[in-house]
Amino acid sequence: MTRFSVLILLFLCLPVLLFARSPGSITGDSFEYVSGRGLLIETNPSGVTVFIDGRERGTTPLTITNMAQGDYLVRLERDGYETRTFNVTVFDTGRLNVAVKMKELQGFASITIRRDPASSQALPFEPHITASSQGFFESWNDFSSDNSVLLALPARVNTINIRAFGWESVMMPVLIEENVTAALNIVMQPAQMKIERITQLRTRFNPLRSTSYSINIIRFQVTTYGSGTMTVFDSDNLAIYTEELQQFDNPFRSIVWDGKDADGNIVPQGIYTITIEAKALNEYSHREMQSVSASIQTEVNYSLNVLPLSIESGSAGLSFSPLPSVLKFINNYQINAGLSYDTDGFPFKIGLRLLPFNRFELATIFCVNPLLNRENIIWSISGSAKYNILNGTGSVPVAFSLGASYEWATGEYENNLSAGRGIGFFAPLSLELANFSIVLSPGAFWRGPENAVPDFQLSAGVLYRAYLFNAGISARYEFDFNDINNSRLLAGAEVRFFPEPSFVFYALQGGIIMRGDNLKGYGGIGVGLIAN
């Protein structure tokens, strides 16, 4: 190899040798040069105070860009951690990135647990311990056979938490000092029976359904071994159902109520109170036993049946006739998407129906249509607001609502199932029979300033409600006073399936649209989600 070749090789290797230099580097840390100039120091954890040549420069993560080339002494300090000191070299040709893992100062806690000498020897004693510091979970330990344990903990104030089913929990702070063992001797007392953290799977349910919506699961925790009962009270505070609970042998319990009384009959719709009563086992306690109780209210509601409706036209109901019914509870919603076909193209629609306030429902449909006879994809958005005045329950099986709708569309395109571009008003009225809704809905629609006289609209339909599906037929006639040849008749049929679990549904629809002498058909499929 010639002298010239050796010089070229050294020149190529010099940047690598310089950038790889990491004086004071300790295993697990990293020192890396990148483009730029200066020094970046990062630590785990962050918030470490940085001293450079004895001068405090800030806390990590820390970036210093105005450093001159040369060697520096870096010192890292934070309470509870070992001080770290190392040398770095800063070059004009690159920025030095330093990543350091700080090592915590540690001490020890020797913990011994004893049961109260007056406690029953029959009461199981299986303590567990957790230790945490500054809100962070640090360790989990089981005791040895002699109920003692030695923990290595950060050198600061730690919280020791000892618990055992059937015994009062012990929580205490302990100061851990570096390389010092703190001794703790703890005596645990038998726990009084308590019922804690009682919750339920849902606040309302429908026992007529066969899904998870037909039951309610109540969960709670107890503090010691014992037995208990569940009692259900009606709105008159009469006990209608009582169930003996299995003996408590762990803190976490759950019970199920299926909405039936003591005779197995489904209870009427209404608000019910579920009360849990518990008592500790006598043989496990040296105290006088007293029962404790906790209660929670739940609602049996038979309106919690899935009833997805069409929102293809921008108003919830049948395809061509809005229904006066609305979603049952605030924050209920329906989402669906579908693809259809007509002689103009393949419209894709995605819709949303929700109940932001009691009896007040909003619906919207976004439609994208790649028309067959045009180059551009065009779209429209339709929406409606509806307020329910009569809901069809009680002695008068009539439902009634008032609503308004609006549509905006690009170019001359309109959602072919909607009333068209513009603003309209409608007032659906329906007769609510056992499984049928028979609806009649008059309305008016303004298509814009060029048409001073609104269209008159009259729609009607029938919806049949079954266990796993609903189906309907509907028609709407739109009379255009400004141009009678522009009047339309729309008619169609639809069916929606909602197999278990009942929050998912599938839809099929089809029908005709006639404007003057022009008649065309349409059809579509869809899938959706309804939360009730």
Side-chain angles (χ1 to χ4, degrees):
M1 181 179 294
T2 65
R3 181 178 300 178
F4 180 76
S5 301
V6 172
L7 291 176
I8 293 296
L9 182 60
L10 290 175
F11 178 77
L12 293 175
C13 293
L14 182 59
V16 177
L17 295 173
L18 291 176
F19 289 175
R21 181 185 177 188
S22 55
S25 171
I26 300 177
T27 303
D29 301 339
S30 66
F31 292 73
E32 177 187 12
Y33 282 94
V34 296
S35 61
R37 180 185 172 186
L39 176 65
L40 168 64
I41 301 178
E42 297 177 297
T43 59
N44 182 16
S46 59
V48 175
T49 303
V50 179
F51 296 85
I52 298 179
D53 287 344
R55 177 187 172 193
E56 183 177 340
R57 301 299 298 270
T59 58
T60 59
L62 177 65
T63 300
I64 304 174
T65 58
N66 59 348
M67 297 185 70
Q69 178 176 328
D71 295 330
Y72 296 89
L73 176 65
V74 178
R75 187 173 81 252
L76 304 178
E77 293 184 358
R78 178 173 168 170
D79 290 343
Y81 292 84
E82 291 184 3
T83 299
R84 298 291 304 273
T85 302
F86 51 88
N87 295 312
V88 297
T89 300
V90 175
F91 296 96
D92 286 336
T93 55
R95 186 185 71 192
L96 178 60
N97 288 359
V98 180
V100 177
K101 180 174 176 59
M102 302 292 289
K103 183 178 180 181
E104 285 189 297
L105 300 175
Q106 284 193 326
F108 300 91
S110 176
I111 303 172
T112 302
I113 305 298
R114 297 288 182 264
R115 62 165 70 225
D116 181 0
S119 63
S120 170
Q121 295 300 310
L123 180 60
F125 188 59
E126 299 176 352
H128 302 274
I129 185 170
T130 59
S132 61
S133 178
Q134 297 182 349
F136 296 99
F137 176 79
E138 296 287 352
S139 61
W140 169 266
N141 294 273
D142 291 339
F143 287 94
S144 61
S145 58
D146 61 350
N147 293 326
S148 63
V149 66
L150 180 66
L151 301 180
L153 297 172
R156 54 175 175 262
V157 175
N158 293 259
T159 300
I160 305 296
N161 186 6
I162 302 168
R163 61 184 180 85
F165 183 57
W167 300 83
E168 297 289 349
S169 297
V170 176
M171 180 181 294
M172 63 173 57
V174 57
L175 175 61
I176 301 298
E177 299 179 283
E178 183 182 4
N179 299 322
V180 175
T181 300
L184 294 157
N185 292 289
I186 297 172
V187 177
M188 297 188 72
Q189 304 290 331
Q192 292 276 28
M193 172 61 78
K194 296 179 184 178
I195 300 174
E196 301 174 330
R197 300 178 185 178
I198 182 169
T199 60
Q200 57 185 332
L201 178 63
R202 50 181 58 88
T203 57
R204 60 179 72 94
F205 68 106
N206 181 359
L208 294 179
R209 301 293 297 174
S210 63
T211 66
S212 60
Y213 286 101
S214 67
I215 62 172
N216 201 1
I217 300 176
I218 296 88
R219 297 185 175 93
F220 60 96
Q221 295 183 24
V222 293
T223 55
T224 190
Y225 297 85
S227 59
T229 59
M230 175 186 74
T231 305
V232 181
F233 297 90
D234 63 14
S235 57
D236 295 324
N237 204 32
L238 298 176
I240 62 170
Y241 178 78
T242 300
E243 179 182 335
E244 296 292 331
L245 305 180
Q246 293 183 350
Q247 182 172 307
F248 307 142
D249 55 6
N250 66 75
F252 306 104
R253 314 302 298 172
S254 65
I255 53 178
V256 175
W257 184 46
D258 59 2
K260 296 179 181 179
D261 60 18
D263 297 324
N265 301 316
I266 294 179
V267 300
Q269 186 169 265
I271 303 295
Y272 293 84
T273 301
I274 299 174
T275 298
I276 309 298
E277 188 173 4
K279 185 176 182 180
L281 296 179
N282 290 329
E283 60 267 31
Y284 286 167
S285 178
H286 63 282
R287 302 168 179 169
E288 181 181 353
M289 291 293 95
Q290 293 182 346
S291 61
V292 295
S293 64
S295 299
I296 195 168
Q297 284 192 332
T298 189
E299 179 182 354
V300 173
N301 192 311
Y302 297 121
S303 67
L304 290 178
N305 288 316
V306 170
L307 188 62
L309 298 177
S310 172
I311 50 178
E312 302 294 324
S313 66
S315 301
L318 296 163
S319 294
F320 301 116
S321 182
L323 286 172
S325 61
V326 296
L327 292 164
K328 298 298 181 183
F329 301 102
I330 294 176
N331 296 325
N332 283 180
Y333 63 88
Q334 173 186 328
I335 299 173
N336 62 266
L339 182 66
S340 58
Y341 167 77
D342 59 40
T343 55
D344 289 331
F346 297 89
F348 172 76
K349 299 177 182 179
I350 182 167
L352 171 66
R353 173 188 173 211
L354 55 87
L355 191 79
F357 308 106
N358 188 33
R359 293 177 176 261
F360 182 74
E361 182 180 275
L362 299 175
T364 185
I365 190 81
F366 177 76
C367 180
V368 179
N369 193 345
L371 296 178
L372 296 178
N373 57 353
R374 300 186 185 183
E375 294 182 356
N376 298 327
I377 296 177
I378 53 181
W379 58 277
S380 69
I381 184 167
S382 307
S384 67
K386 179 171 59 178
Y387 182 77
N388 179 249
I389 298 173
L390 299 174
N391 57 21
T393 61
S395 58
V396 181
V398 175
F400 177 67
S401 292
L402 292 175
S405 64
Y406 179 77
E407 177 174 309
W408 182 90
T410 60
E412 298 177 355
Y413 176 69
E414 297 172 335
N415 176 2
N416 58 7
L417 299 189
S418 74
R421 180 169 32 199
I423 185 171
F425 297 91
F426 55 92
L429 178 72
S430 69
L431 180 63
E432 300 296 323
L433 303 178
N435 292 321
F436 290 90
S437 295
I438 303 172
V439 62
L440 181 69
S441 178
F445 202 87
W446 281 267
R447 301 192 181 278
E450 66 276 7
N451 295 325
V453 180
D455 290 359
F456 171 74
Q457 298 180 358
L458 182 65
S459 61
V462 177
L463 176 69
Y464 173 71
R465 301 181 298 272
Y467 176 57
L468 295 177
F469 74 96
N470 64 48
I473 55 174
S474 59
R476 181 173 75 239
Y477 182 68
E478 303 171 356
F479 185 79
D480 189 341
F481 287 96
N482 300 283
D483 183 1
I484 192 172
N485 293 322
N486 198 42
S487 298
R488 287 198 308 171
L489 174 65
L490 306 93
E494 60 205 85
V495 60
R496 279 167 290 275
F497 303 92
F498 31 91
E500 310 288 9
S502 56
F503 50 81
V504 176
F505 66 90
Y506 306 91
L508 296 172
Q509 62 175 341
I512 60 170
I513 302 174
M514 183 170 66
R515 187 190 300 270
D517 296 331
N518 183 19
L519 177 66
K520 65 180 180 180
Y522 77 92
I525 57 175
V527 63
L529 171 72
I530 186 167
N532 59 14

